[in-house]
C-alpha cells in the first residue's frame, strides 16, 4: 500500500477430474482437529500429482513424501512445455516454429533464425525459447501479444523469415514478476487457465522468477495444527482469498472469511499446478517463506515461546510475530516448509518481508532474528535465495547485517518513484532488482514513469560498484497498461539504451499488426503524456473522480494516490481522436479494441477533473439551473463510461464476481466469497479500517457494473442532497458513506460477464461528448 510521503472464472475443481486416490482421501478424510503442541498435524491428503517426483516413505514417520528427481543438466531440458505454451499463444502458427534446447547457449540466452514459414528458436530454457518467440514477433513479424490484447490475427499465413540470425542474452540474471498484492487485486478467484495464460505471457517477455501465492494459506493451516490450534480456529484466522495477500504480509487476519477446508485444498492444488507449470518452463516459482507469523495465544499454547504484538495496520490488528529466538520457531518453520514442500515442491527462491509497513520489534534483536529466519530457510532449502521487498525503510541495516546477503535479493519497489537514490549505499552492496510499481490497487488509470526506467536502468547497471542484478515487475495489479509491461521487461534484454520515442513508434506499428499513421500519432501522444511522468513523488498516475467518494473538493479516489493530474490531459484526448481514425482493417484486433476503450475511459476520467470544479462553483453561487445542467452532464458521463467499459471483457465487474461465487459449495459460502471480492473494491475492510485507515476505494477501478451500481449511485445521492439544500436553502444532509458502501458490498446482484456493445461506436460517442483538445 502506498502511504503518502511515507509509503507509498475458476469453477470449483471437479471431483471427477481428480485422481482416484486423491478423490478418496478428499471425500473420506474428516476435518482435522486440534493436536498437542509439537505433535505434528493430522495425516495429509496429499494434493500433489507430480509425475516427475519419486514417492518414498520417511523412515521415521511412515508418511508418504514426494522427492523431486534431480534437476537435469542445463541444456538437456524437455521443450514440450514450451511447445505447449507456443500452441496456446499462436494456435495458427505454432507449427512454423522449431524449438531447440541449446546446450551451448548462455545461461539466459536465445537465438532466432529461419526462412519464411520455418523459424528456429534455440534457447537455454523453455522460458527463453518463448522469449525468443516474443522477440521474433516484436522485431520481425510485427505483432503483439500484450497483457491484455493482441494482434496475432493480423499475422500472414506464412510467417516472415529472419534476415540474419539474432542472439540475445539477458543483461541481468533475475527477472522477477508479481507484487505480493497481485493475487488480491488482480483476481484471487482466477482459474488455472488464467494463471497459465499469465505464465505464458511472462515467459514470452523474458521473466524467469514468478511469485506464487495461490494456496499459500494451506501450509500454515496444516503446520499450525501441530502447535495447539484446531482446524476451525485456523479457518477463522485465515482471511478470504481477496485479503490473503495482506495476511501473508502480516498486516491482518480473518477478514473476508472464514474459508472452508475444501477451498483451501482447491487453492493449494491450484498453487501446486502453477508451480509445476513454471518449473516445466525452467522458471523459478517464488514461494512464500516462513518468518514468524502466528495466531493469537501462541505463547500460551506453546510454553517457552515469546511473541511480539505487531500493533495496528490501517485499523486492523496485525497477527503476532513469533520471536525467532524461541525454540518453537525452528520447529514451526520446519513444519511449515515440510507442508509447503508436500504441495508445492521445492524451490530456490522464497519471499519474506518481516516487519512490513510498521511492524513492532519489541525486544527482539533484528540482526539475530534475520539470521535465524535465513537459517530456517536454508535448513529446509539449502542455499535458497531470500527475496525481500525494498519498500519504505525496508530492508533495514539491522536485517541486512544478520544475513548472508549473497543469498538475498532486494526487490526495489521505489526505483522509479523518488530521486537521488543510491541503492548500493542504502543497502551496503546487497544485490537488488530495479523495480516498478506503476499500478496501485488495480486502478484502471493509464500511465507509468517509463522515461525514468530508461534513464536509470543502464547507468545503474554500469556503475563500477553496481549491485543491480535484476528487474522486478511489481505493479500491485497486473493486466493494465500493456505498453508499460512490454517496455519494462524489454530493459533486461535490449543491448544499449532504449530510445523511448522510437520504442513507442515501433510499439504502435506492431500493436495492431500493421504500421498506421493514426496509431503512431495516438501512441506518440500517450508517450508524451501519461507514459512520460516524472519521478519525485509518484510512480502511478492519478485516478478518476467518478470513482471518488463524493465531495465538491474531491481530488482523488484512493487516499494514497496523486491528487492532481500528472500530465497534460490533452494528450489522452488527442490520442482518442487519433485512435478513432485508425485504418478500419486494423480495428478487429483485441489489442485495438482494448486500447480504444481504455483511452476513451481515460479521457472521460480526466474530464471529471474539469467538470467537478464547475459543479462546485455553480453550487456555491446558488445557481440551481447551472447546477442541474452540470450534474446532468456528470451523470451522462458516468453512463457513457459504464457503456464503453462494458464493451471489453477486461472491464467487467460481472467476471470478478462470478469467479468468487464459483468457489462456494452452497449459497452461504458463495455469498461470503462474493463479499470478500466486493469489499476489496469498496470498503476494503471494516469501518475502522475503511475510515480510520483510509482504505475505502483504495482498489477503485472503472469497470462496467461497478460504475453504475456503486459510483454513480453514490454521486446521485450526493448531488440530490446538494440540490435539496439549494431548493430549501439549508445545509446538505449528512450521508454515512461507509454504510452506503457496506450495503453495496453485501449485495449479491448479478452483472454481465460478457461484453456487449460496439467499442468503436461507444468510444466515438465519448469523443463527441468531450471538448476537443488544443493542438500542441
Amino acid at each position: 500500500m502506498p502511504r503518502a510521503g511515507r509509503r507509498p472464472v475458476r469453477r470449483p475443481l471437479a471431483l471427477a477430474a481428480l485422481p482416484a486416490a486423491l478423490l478418496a482421501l478428499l471425500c473420506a478424510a474428516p476435518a482435522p482437529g486440534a493436536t498437542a503442541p509439537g505433535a505434528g498435524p493430522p495425516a495429509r491428503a496429499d494434493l500433489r500429482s507430480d509425475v516427475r517426483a519419486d514417492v518414498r516413505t520417511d523412515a521415521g514417520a511412515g508418511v508418504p513424501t514426494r522427492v523431486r528427481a534431480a534437476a537435469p543438466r542445463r541444456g538437456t531440458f524437455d521443450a514440450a512445455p514450451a511447445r505447449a505454451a507456443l500452441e496456446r499463444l499462436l494456435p495458427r502458427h505454432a507449427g512454423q516454429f522449431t524449438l531447440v534446447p541449446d546446450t551451448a547457449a548462455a545461461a539466459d540466452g536465445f537465438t532466432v533464425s529461419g526462412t519464411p514459414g520455418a523459424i528456429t528458436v534455440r534457447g537455454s530454457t523453455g522460458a527463453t525459447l518463448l522469449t525468443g518467440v516474443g522477440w521474433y514477433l516484436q522485431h520481425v513479424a510485427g505483432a503483439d501479444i500484450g497483457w491484455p490484447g493482441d494482434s496475432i490475427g493480423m499475422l500472414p499465413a506464412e510467417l516472415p523469415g529472419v534476415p540474419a540470425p539474432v542472439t540475445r542474452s539477458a543483461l541481468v540474471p533475475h527477472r522477477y514478476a508479481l507484487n505480493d498484492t497481485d493475487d488480491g487485486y488482480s483476481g484471487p478467484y482466477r482459474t488455472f487457465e488464467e494463471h497459465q495464460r499469465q505464465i505464458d505471457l511472462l515467459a514470452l517477455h523474458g521473466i524467469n522468477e514468478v511469485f506464487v501465492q495461490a494456496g499459500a494459506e494451506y501450509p500454515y493451516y496444516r503446520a499450525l495444527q501441530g502447535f495447539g490450534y484446531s482446524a476451525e480456529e485456523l479457518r477463522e484466522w485465515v482471511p478470504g482469498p481477496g485479503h490473503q495477500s495482506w495476511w501473508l504480509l502480516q498486516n491482518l487476519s480473518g477478514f473476508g472469511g472464514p474459508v472452508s477446508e475444501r477451498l483451501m485444498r482447491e487453492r493449494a492444488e491450484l498453487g501446486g499446478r502453477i508451480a509445476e507449470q513454471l518449473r516445466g518452463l525452467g522458471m523459478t516459482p517464488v514461494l512464500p517463506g516462513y518468518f514468524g507469523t502466528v495466531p493469537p495465544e501462541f505463547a500460551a499454547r506453546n510454553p517457552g515461546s515469546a511473541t511480539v504484538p505487531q500493533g495496528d495496520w490501517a485499523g486492523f490488528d496485525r497477527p503476532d510475530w513469533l520471536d525467532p529466538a524461541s525454540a518453537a520457531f525452528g520447529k514451526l518453520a520446519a513444519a511449515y516448509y515440510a507442508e509447503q514442500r508436500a504441495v508445492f515442491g521445492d524451490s530456490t527462491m522464497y519471499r519474506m518481508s518481516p516487519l512490513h509497513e510498521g511492524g513492532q520489534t519489541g525486544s527482539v534483536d533484528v540482526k539475530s532474528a534475520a539470521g535465524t529466519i535465513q537459517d530456517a530457510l536454508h535448513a529446509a532449502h539449502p542455499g535458497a535465495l531470500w527475496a525481500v521487498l525494498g519498500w519504505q525503510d525496508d530492508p533495514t541495516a539491522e536485517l541486512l547485517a544478520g544475513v548472508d546477503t549473497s543469498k538475498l535479493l532486494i526487490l526495489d519497489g521505489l526505483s522509479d518513484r523518488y530521486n537521488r537514490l543510491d541503492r548500493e549505499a542504502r543497502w551496503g552492496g546487497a544485490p537488488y532488482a530495479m523495480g516498478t510499481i506503476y499500478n496501485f490497487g488495480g486502478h484502471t488509470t493509464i500511465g507509468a514513469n517509463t522515461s525514468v526506467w530508461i534513464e536509470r536502468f543502464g547507468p545503474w547497471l554500469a556503475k563500477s560498484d553496481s549491485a543491480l542484478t535484476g528487474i522486478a515487475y511489481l505493479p500491485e495489479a497486473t493486466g493494465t497498461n500493456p505498453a508499460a509491461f512490454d517496455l519494462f521487461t524489454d530493459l533486461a534484454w535490449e543491448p544499449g539504451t532504449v530510445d523511448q520515442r522510437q520504442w513507442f513508434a515501433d510499439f504502435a506499428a506492431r500493436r495492431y499488426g500493421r504500421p498506421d499513421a493514426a496509431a503512431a500519432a495516438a501512441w506518440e501522444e500517450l508517450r508524451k503524456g501519461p507514459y512520460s511522468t516524472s519521478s519525485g513523488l509518484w510512480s502511478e498516475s492519478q485516478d478518476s473522480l467518478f470513482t471518488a467518494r463524493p465531495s465538491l473538493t474531491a481530488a482523488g479516489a484512493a487516499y494514497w494516490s496523486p491528487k492532481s493530474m500528472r500530465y497534460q490531459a490533452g494528450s489522452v484526448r488527442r490520442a482518442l481522436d487519433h485512435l478513432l481514425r485508425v485504418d478500419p482493417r486494423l480495428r478487429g484486433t483485441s489489442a485495438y479494441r482494448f486500447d480504444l476503450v481504455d483511452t476513451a475511459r481515460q479521457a472521460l476520467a480526466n474530464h471529471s477533473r474539469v467538470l467537478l470544479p464547475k459543479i462546485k462553483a455553480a453550487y456555491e453561487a446558488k445557481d440551481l439551473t447551472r447546477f442541474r445542467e452540470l450534474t446532468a452532464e456528470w451523470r451522462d458521463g458516468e453512463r457513457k463510461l459504464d457503456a464503453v467499459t462494458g464493451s471489453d471483457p477486461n472491464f467487467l465487474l460481472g467476471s470478478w464476481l462470478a469467479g468468487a461465487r464459483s468457489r462456494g459449495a452452497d449459497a452461504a459460502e458463495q455469498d461470503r466469497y462474493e463479499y470478500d471480492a466486493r469489499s476489496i473494491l469498496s470498503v476494503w475492510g471494516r469501518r475502522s479500517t475503511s475510515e480510520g485507515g483510509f482504505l475505502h476505494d483504495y482498489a477503485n477501478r472503472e469497470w462496467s457494473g461497478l460504475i453504475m451500481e456503486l459510483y454513480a449511485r453514490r454521486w446521485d445521492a450526493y448531488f440530490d442532497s446538494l440540490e435539496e439544500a439549494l431548493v430549501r436553502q439549508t445545509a446538505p444532509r449528512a450521508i454515512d458513506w461507509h454504510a452506503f458502501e457496506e450495503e453495496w458490498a453485501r449485495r449479491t446482484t448479478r452483472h454481465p460477464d460478457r461484453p456487449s456493445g460496439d467499442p468503436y461506436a461507444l468510444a466515438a460517442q465519448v469523443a463527441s461528448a468531450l471538448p476537443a483538445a488544443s493542438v500542441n
Side-chain angles (χ1 to χ4, degrees):
M1 296 276 183
R3 298 300 172 100
R6 295 189 298 117
R7 44 179 127 177
V9 180
R10 186 175 191 227
R11 300 292 171 189
L13 183 65
L15 292 178
L18 291 169
L22 176 56
L23 178 59
L25 283 166
L26 288 174
C27 294
T35 56
R44 175 190 305 114
D46 196 345
L47 302 183
R48 299 194 69 214
S49 54
D50 183 356
V51 296
R52 293 175 296 166
D54 299 321
V55 179
R56 73 176 185 189
T57 298
D58 187 299
V63 178
T65 59
R66 294 190 179 273
V67 183
R68 287 187 52 77
R73 291 185 302 107
R74 186 176 62 78
T76 62
F77 64 89
D78 182 3
R83 164 61 57 183
L86 181 58
E87 290 171 354
R88 290 189 295 270
L89 291 164
L90 293 171
R92 294 192 304 117
H93 296 86
Q96 297 182 46
F97 287 88
T98 300
L99 305 182
V100 182
D102 191 349
T103 58
D108 291 298
F110 63 80
T111 298
V112 181
S113 61
T115 57
I119 313 304
T120 297
V121 182
R122 297 176 176 273
S124 56
T125 65
T128 54
L129 287 172
L130 292 174
T131 307
V133 172
W135 186 93
Y136 168 84
L137 292 173
Q138 179 174 334
H139 294 278
V140 179
D144 185 61
I145 302 180
W147 196 1
D150 67 68
S151 58
I152 60 173
M154 299 297 292
L155 287 170
E158 183 178 78
L159 294 175
V162 185
V166 173
T167 297
R168 286 283 186 274
S169 295
L171 304 179
V172 285
H174 300 290
R175 281 110 45 216
Y176 181 100
L178 302 187
N179 197 300
D180 296 69
T181 66
D182 184 67
D183 204 49
Y185 287 141
S186 297
Y189 296 95
R190 283 172 289 181
T191 65
F192 173 72
E193 289 71 25
E194 289 169 314
H195 283 280
Q196 185 180 54
R197 172 73 175 181
Q198 177 172 282
I199 292 167
D200 291 348
L201 291 172
L202 291 170
L204 199 71
H205 288 82
I207 295 296
N208 66 341
E209 298 160 345
V210 181
F211 185 50
V212 180
Q213 186 179 115
E217 69 276 21
Y218 196 70
Y220 278 93
Y221 174 68
R222 292 283 309 170
L224 283 163
Q225 288 179 60
F227 290 80
Y229 293 91
S230 70
E232 182 179 4
E233 287 175 314
L234 293 169
R235 288 197 297 272
E236 291 283 347
W237 182 60
V238 173
H243 291 78
Q244 280 183 20
S245 296
W246 297 271
W247 171 68
L248 288 171
L249 287 167
Q250 206 179 43
N251 296 151
L252 58 83
S253 63
F255 190 84
V259 292
S260 68
E261 181 165 334
R262 177 196 53 78
L263 178 63
M264 282 193 289
R265 291 185 178 191
E266 285 186 1
R267 282 174 51 80
E269 187 267 348
L270 171 63
R273 292 182 70 188
I274 293 168
E276 282 306 299
Q277 185 74 16
L278 291 164
R279 291 189 189 98
L281 291 170
M283 303 167 81
T284 300
V286 182
L287 304 177
Y290 185 74
F291 58 90
T293 301
V294 290
E297 302 180 356
F298 187 90
R301 302 186 191 197
N302 295 269
S305 299
T307 57
V308 182
Q310 289 301 287
D312 170 272
W313 181 85
F316 282 106
D317 291 328
R318 300 174 64 134
D320 291 342
W321 184 33
L322 175 60
D323 183 348
S326 301
F329 180 88
K331 296 177 183 178
L332 180 51
Y336 169 89
Y337 286 121
E339 295 292 345
Q340 186 183 63
R341 175 184 293 114
V343 179
F344 296 89
D346 292 319
S347 186
T348 57
M349 192 170 186
Y350 291 79
R351 258 293 290 125
M352 294 181 281
S353 284
L355 306 169
H356 175 73
E357 292 194 346
Q360 305 298 311
T361 60
S363 61
V364 173
D365 181 330
V366 173
K367 176 181 175 180
S368 177
T372 302
I373 291 168
Q374 189 176 53
D375 288 346
L377 171 62
H378 288 170
H381 305 286
L385 200 65
W386 175 354
V388 61
L389 184 63
W391 183 247
Q392 296 182 12
D393 296 326
D394 293 328
T396 62
E398 292 82 2
L399 184 146
L400 293 174
V403 301
D404 176 358
T405 57
S406 72
K407 301 297 182 184
L408 187 86
L409 178 67
I410 301 169
L411 309 170
D412 185 11
L414 300 172
S415 297
D416 61 343
R417 183 163 181 167
Y418 298 121
N419 295 326
R420 297 179 294 279
L421 298 175
D422 186 333
R423 300 337 236 159
E424 285 74 21
R426 174 71 178 80
W427 292 318
Y432 76 97
M434 184 182 119
T436 180
I437 308 178
Y438 61 76
N439 177 288
F440 287 87
H443 303 160
T444 41
T445 190
I446 291 174
N449 297 350
T450 70
S451 58
V452 179
W453 304 343
I454 294 169
E455 291 164 3
R456 293 184 179 177
F457 181 72
W460 284 11
L461 187 61
K463 287 175 61 176
S464 60
D465 63 343
S466 178
L468 177 59
T469 61
I471 61 168
Y473 180 67
L474 300 171
E476 285 197 338
T478 48
T480 65
N481 289 294
F485 172 58
D486 276 21
L487 196 160
F488 186 77
T489 51
D490 271 3
L491 293 176
W493 292 91
E494 289 302 312
T497 302
V498 173
D499 182 320
Q500 190 213 31
R501 183 167 188 164
Q502 186 61 51
W503 189 95
F504 273 91
D506 293 341
F507 178 79
R510 69 176 182 270
R511 181 66 174 158
Y512 313 133
R514 297 281 191 282
D516 180 86
W523 278 100
E524 174 62 7
E525 290 290 351
L526 294 173
R527 178 194 73 83
K528 291 186 300 182
Y531 287 101
S532 287
T533 47
S534 61
S535 58
L537 289 175
W538 305 102
S539 56
E540 70 163 345
S541 291
Q542 72 291 330
D543 51 19
S544 170
L545 298 190
F546 285 128
T547 63
R549 183 177 279 184
S551 166
L552 289 177
T553 58
Y559 181 86
W560 308 106
S561 293
K563 296 299 183 284
S564 60
M565 293 288 299
R566 296 196 61 223
Y567 55 85
Q568 292 299 313
S571 61
V572 175
R573 180 65 186 87
R574 288 187 292 272
L576 175 59
D577 286 341
H578 288 307
L579 285 176
L580 288 167
R581 291 194 286 268
V582 164
D583 189 328
R585 292 172 293 181
L586 306 186
R587 297 176 190 169
T589 67
S590 62
Y592 174 77
R593 293 193 301 270
F594 174 83
D595 293 346
L596 181 64
V597 168
D598 202 24
T599 306
R601 178 209 54 72
Q602 189 64 57
L604 263 174
N606 291 346
H607 187 60
S608 70
R609 293 178 174 272
V610 174
L611 196 52
L612 188 61
K614 294 180 179 180
I615 295 172
K616 178 176 182 289
Y619 178 77
E620 291 177 343
K622 301 186 184 334
D623 187 338
L624 182 60
T625 300
R626 182 63 173 155
F627 179 82
R628 285 171 171 168
E629 290 173 352
L630 289 168
T631 55
E633 184 181 346
W634 180 280
R635 286 163 165 147
D636 183 64
E638 291 171 320
R639 286 190 292 270
K640 283 185 169 60
L641 188 61
D642 192 80
V644 73
T645 55
S647 68
D648 188 273
N650 297 283
F651 296 95
L652 301 180
L653 174 65
S655 301
W656 180 267
L657 300 181
R661 293 195 70 82
S662 74
R663 306 308 290 266
D666 54 37
E669 192 177 0
Q670 290 167 359
D671 291 352
R672 194 159 68 244
Y673 299 154
E674 179 167 357
Y675 175 75
D676 179 42
R678 282 178 178 255
S679 61
I680 198 75
L681 302 180
S682 53
V683 292
W684 213 102
R686 59 183 67 93
R687 183 180 287 270
S688 61
T689 61
S690 179
E691 307 306 298
F694 305 106
L695 291 185
H696 68 83
D697 297 304
Y698 182 92
N700 74 87
R701 52 200 64 187
E702 288 164 313
W703 280 355
S704 183
L706 183 60
I707 295 164
M708 294 307 295
E709 192 178 62
L710 176 58
Y711 302 141
R713 284 180 55 249
R714 200 162 57 175
W715 279 104
D716 281 347
Y718 181 65
F719 288 146
D720 288 347
S721 74
L722 294 183
E723 183 171 332
E724 178 183 282
L726 286 177
V727 170
R728 297 184 178 182
Q729 299 183 10
T730 61
R733 55 186 164 81
I735 300 174
D736 184 338
W737 291 120
H738 178 79
F740 189 104
E741 295 148 5
E742 179 71 12
E743 183 275 332
W744 179 83
R746 296 286 179 185
R747 290 186 175 197
T748 57
T749 48
R750 303 274 56 82
H751 294 271
D753 59 4
R754 294 178 182 274
S756 62
D758 178 353
Y760 186 89
L762 292 166
Q765 289 175 20
V766 169
S768 66
L770 292 175
S774 60
V775 179
N776 282 350

